[in-house]
Amino acid sequence: MSTISDVAREAGVGVGTVSRVLNGGKSVNEKTRRLVEEAISKLAYTPNSSAKRLRQNKSGVIALMIPVLYHPFFSRFAEAAEQEADSHGYSMLLVASQQHVEKEKRIIERIKRKEVDGAIFVTHYEHRQEDFLGCPLVSIDRHLGENIPCVTSDNYEATKKSIEYLIEKGCKKIGYIGTKPLVDSEIMLREKVYREVMGVHGMGEYVVNEIAIHGDEAALVEKFFNLYGDVDGIFAAGYTVARLTAEYAKSMGKTVPGDIQIVSYDGCFPTWDNTALLTCVEQPIDDMARSAVDILIDKIKGKPVEARTVLESKFVIGCSTK
């Protein structure tokens, strides 16, 4: 296997000149550059990427921290993010951190040790701001600090449209079921908008929105129906909640959308009845993932980035509304 020294000897130049050619340096004249390129081709020389990254104090690895892998939003997000990272020449370390805040802390430490170049965070935990100092990070939905950019969908506008649609479809008693993280998040806008719209229309508020981890949504749905079993419309703040809501309503002998109309924030994913889609807000998951990766790489390179990136979602009419 040829080395950079072999290339230098073949081209009749110094090792430093070969290095400048390999790194796109502007200070090498065209004749010398051609000699080096011909030597590289003749010797079939391949640069040692690991050594290059070591010299540049970069690992070539970014991390993606999500709560769970089985949720359709996170699995699709992870796939799109990995593809985008690969297109930039980065490898991706995937971490499922729900109920394991230590995993997130270990990634932060690895960034500080230069073993990982940066991370995309979807966290349920609060971290100290000082722990993030010097760490290139991008957050999805969560507000982790003024120096950590956030990528999100248009929660306010999309939720307002969804609830107004339920009213347009004749719902008189609309409830809200959701979960919320421990940290400040764009997701909290969904409940805020619900209450605003109910106030504007002079309608009552029927809310169950609690801190919960993925997998505990069924208990919230049951609690909601025990409190507000006579609602005729429900805005579910996530796909899992929406699917469980539809299933629970059917178990009570209610029809969807005949007795209860449902709109979900999140979709479109495999459906609760395997025949049609829920009416839903379809987040631009692929675009959110690609934007997060691109912003993170810009931060790693020291480029300026936007503090908040809001991407437009799509409202999809499905089988859960009239």
Side-chain angles (χ1 to χ4, degrees):
M1 181 180 294
S2 300
T3 67
I4 192 170
S5 297
D6 295 331
V7 173
R9 280 193 295 271
E10 178 68 27
V13 299
V15 170
T17 300
V18 177
S19 179
R20 286 194 293 277
V21 172
L22 291 171
N23 290 300
K26 307 284 188 186
S27 61
V28 182
N29 65 53
E30 191 58 35
K31 179 179 179 181
T32 302
R33 186 181 300 278
R34 281 201 304 271
L35 287 172
V36 172
E37 290 172 347
E38 288 169 3
I40 290 171
S41 178
K42 179 179 179 180
L43 298 175
Y45 171 71
T46 302
N48 186 324
S49 58
S50 296
K52 180 180 178 180
R53 285 169 176 162
L54 185 62
R55 290 193 300 272
Q56 294 177 339
N57 205 23
K58 295 286 189 293
S59 68
V61 177
I62 59 177
L64 170 61
M65 286 181 280
I66 56 178
V68 293
L69 297 174
Y70 61 78
H71 191 284
F73 178 94
F74 297 124
S75 59
R76 182 169 168 181
F77 187 99
E79 181 178 5
E82 191 281 329
Q83 291 174 355
E84 185 69 8
D86 182 68
S87 73
H88 287 280
Y90 279 81
S91 298
M92 178 162 281
L93 174 64
L94 183 60
V95 180
S97 59
Q98 179 167 276
Q99 296 181 304
H100 298 285
V101 67
E102 295 80 11
K103 288 186 177 182
E104 296 182 358
K105 292 179 179 179
R106 286 200 294 268
I107 291 298
I108 294 298
E109 290 304 315
R110 292 185 67 177
I111 295 172
K112 292 179 177 179
R113 294 197 300 266
K114 307 299 183 183
E115 297 172 2
V116 174
D117 293 336
I120 299 168
F121 257 69
V122 188
T123 183
H124 285 304
Y125 302 106
E126 286 191 273
H127 292 266
R128 297 183 307 168
Q129 290 299 304
E130 53 266 34
D131 292 339
F132 292 146
L133 293 176
C135 296
L137 301 172
V138 174
S139 171
I140 305 301
D141 291 328
R142 280 62 167 165
H143 302 149
L144 301 183
E146 61 181 21
N147 295 318
I148 300 175
C150 172
V151 176
T152 189
S153 61
D154 53 345
N155 286 271
Y156 189 97
E157 293 80 4
T159 300
K160 183 176 181 181
K161 182 174 183 178
S162 299
I163 298 170
E164 293 282 7
Y165 185 78
L166 285 170
I167 296 172
E168 178 187 326
K169 289 299 177 179
C171 293
K172 304 298 183 185
K173 191 172 184 179
I174 300 171
Y176 180 103
I177 311 176
T179 64
K180 52 188 176 183
L182 286 166
V183 295
D184 185 26
S185 172
E186 296 278 329
I187 292 171
M188 295 175 182
L189 289 172
R190 300 173 192 175
E191 180 185 348
K192 179 177 185 291
V193 177
Y194 164 81
R195 293 187 184 277
E196 286 181 1
V197 175
M198 293 299 97
V200 168
H201 289 271
M203 300 172 71
E205 297 176 3
Y206 312 96
V207 178
V208 171
N209 189 28
E210 300 177 2
I211 294 170
I213 63 173
H214 294 281
D216 288 351
E217 294 93 346
L220 296 183
V221 172
E222 182 177 6
K223 178 178 179 178
F224 178 89
F225 277 101
N226 286 336
L227 292 171
Y228 314 118
D230 59 342
V231 296
D232 60 359
I234 292 176
F235 178 80
Y239 167 75
T240 301
V241 171
R243 178 177 56 79
L244 291 169
T245 297
E247 291 174 353
Y248 198 92
K250 290 169 71 176
S251 75
M252 295 173 62
K254 296 179 181 291
T255 61
V256 178
D259 297 317
I260 299 179
Q261 299 187 66
I262 301 170
V263 175
S264 167
Y265 200 108
D266 269 346
C268 301
F269 300 123
T271 61
W272 56 273
D273 66 355
N274 296 318
T275 59
L277 294 167
L278 297 171
T279 297
C280 64
V281 174
E282 184 177 357
Q283 294 194 79
I285 302 174
D286 293 350
D287 290 342
M288 290 171 68
R290 286 190 287 264
S291 293
V293 171
D294 294 346
I295 292 168
L296 178 60
I297 291 173
D298 282 345
K299 276 192 68 72
I300 291 169
K301 294 179 178 179
K303 297 180 180 180
V305 298
E306 294 291 331
R308 184 170 175 261
T309 300
V310 181
L311 300 178
E312 185 176 358
S313 58
K314 182 168 64 174
F315 191 69
V316 179
I317 307 300
C319 67
S320 59
T321 52
K322 296 176 181 178

